[in-house]
Amino acid sequence: METTEQITNSDFEEAFLKVEPKNQKILRKRAERANETLPAGERVLAVSEFFSLGVASGIIMVTNKKVIVDKGPKAEYPHVEMGPVSSEGRAINLNFQGRAITIQKLPEGRVAEITGLIAEQIGLATEGNDERRGSGFSEAVEKAFFQIDPKHQKFLRAAAREVESRLLPGENVLAMCEHDVANIGLLTVTDKRVISVSGSTEEYFHDIIGSVQSVGRYLTLYVQGKQVNYPHVAKDRIAEITSLISQQIAKARVPQQAAPTGTGVDIVSQLEKLADLRAKGILTDDEFTTQKAKLLSQS
């Protein structure tokens, strides 16, 4: 009876034989190193070389659990955390936790095979993966998050947690939706600002947004003389999101009445929370100053 190690090595050798013979000697140690780190039960499905300056310089290994890319430093991308995969010419485009990762210059005859295999494993890893129960989000964030297309939720969970960590005291999440394709991101509208998490995080308070418009699936904010564009907003949500932002911009322009004395608003506590958010790097100094001034104006 074969051991797990023997099965794994057999799978690896079979997959590695598809690397062009002239490149096997160059890349064998790198491929073996990746294979040796696999836990018991993880199987190698495919191995391919990729090139730099015409020389085989790295490997891409597909297992039943993840994609491994090794070109010196090794990177691993679990299928369960990956978004749609695509190819263009000799390049494969991965989407991992909302980040676009491109592996360039694979052998022309292997691109379709590797791309299809990764897509298949992503599908198997995420099939029936409904994490709605026990999501760990606050009630407001959870309600907005589950308006997102279920097939995209798994790729945006980390982005939603990032948004939640940035919320100010008393800030309410009104809507969340996905945008972009190659680098899938999360667009969030709160009662104070618009937040986009797509690799990096951008946020614009409603009181500095001049206007918003959408054409097709393309949403544009006009912010202090510049355009901020969000392509490929979810087709069935873009009208809703555009309208919601427009409403919040209008509300931000209405002068706020000072809160009557004796309302029980704990200004000191809220200022302490703002200071804590600034200390953690979630708020910039300018954002802290703006929000502090708003709180003090209500006292």
Side-chain angles (χ1 to χ4, degrees), residues 65-67 77-87 92-101 103 114-126 129 149-158 178-185:
K65 299 290 184 182
K66 58 181 174 273
V67 175
Y77 308 105
H79 300 309
V80 73
E81 298 179 51
M82 291 176 65
V85 59
S86 63
S87 62
I92 292 179
N93 302 309
L94 305 180
N95 188 312
F96 180 70
Q97 295 182 340
R99 293 186 292 117
I101 297 156
I103 299 98
I114 300 295
T115 304
L117 190 55
I118 295 172
E120 179 184 9
Q121 293 305 308
I122 291 172
L124 291 172
T126 57
N129 186 20
D149 187 330
K151 69 184 179 184
H152 293 145
Q153 289 174 11
K154 51 188 169 286
F155 311 128
L156 296 173
R157 193 165 291 274
E178 62 271 48
H179 72 92
D180 213 335
V181 174
N183 196 23
I184 189 169

Side-chain angles (χ1 to χ4, degrees), residues 2-12 35-36 40-42:
E2 287 184 302
T3 66
T4 301
E5 182 179 1
Q6 288 173 327
I7 293 171
T8 301
N9 286 338
S10 174
D11 291 339
F12 166 72
N35 180 60
E36 287 166 2
E42 186 165 355

Side-chain angles (χ1 to χ4, degrees), residues 163-287:
V163 170
E164 188 167 45
S165 73
R166 290 173 171 266
L167 296 178
L168 300 169
E171 186 172 9
N172 298 308
V173 176
L174 305 178
M176 289 178 160
C177 78
E178 62 271 48
H179 72 92
D180 213 335
V181 174
N183 196 23
I184 189 169
L186 180 66
L187 191 62
T188 302
V189 184
T190 78
D191 58 350
K192 296 184 181 297
R193 55 188 159 163
V194 176
I195 305 172
S196 169
V197 181
S198 181
S200 60
T201 302
E202 299 177 347
E203 48 190 37
Y204 302 99
F205 284 88
H206 297 307
D207 57 4
I208 66 167
I209 301 175
S211 62
V212 58
Q213 71 173 27
S214 58
V215 177
R217 295 179 59 190
Y218 210 87
L219 186 145
T220 301
L221 303 180
Y222 294 88
V223 182
Q224 296 180 328
K226 69 174 182 179
Q227 293 185 20
V228 181
N229 300 311
Y230 300 107
H232 298 286
V233 176
K235 186 177 181 180
D236 60 342
R237 303 288 307 283
I238 190 163
E240 169 202 350
I241 298 298
T242 305
S243 176
L244 195 54
I245 295 172
S246 182
Q247 292 170 21
Q248 296 307 309
I249 293 171
K251 287 182 180 179
R253 291 176 180 169
V254 176
Q256 300 295 311
Q257 292 183 340
T261 58
T263 57
V265 176
D266 188 350
I267 298 297
V268 173
S269 175
Q270 294 197 36
L271 286 173
E272 288 175 346
K273 289 180 180 178
L274 286 175
D276 183 54
L277 290 170
R278 180 177 64 172
K280 291 178 179 178
I282 295 172
L283 287 181
T284 65
D285 289 342
D286 288 344
E287 289 168 340

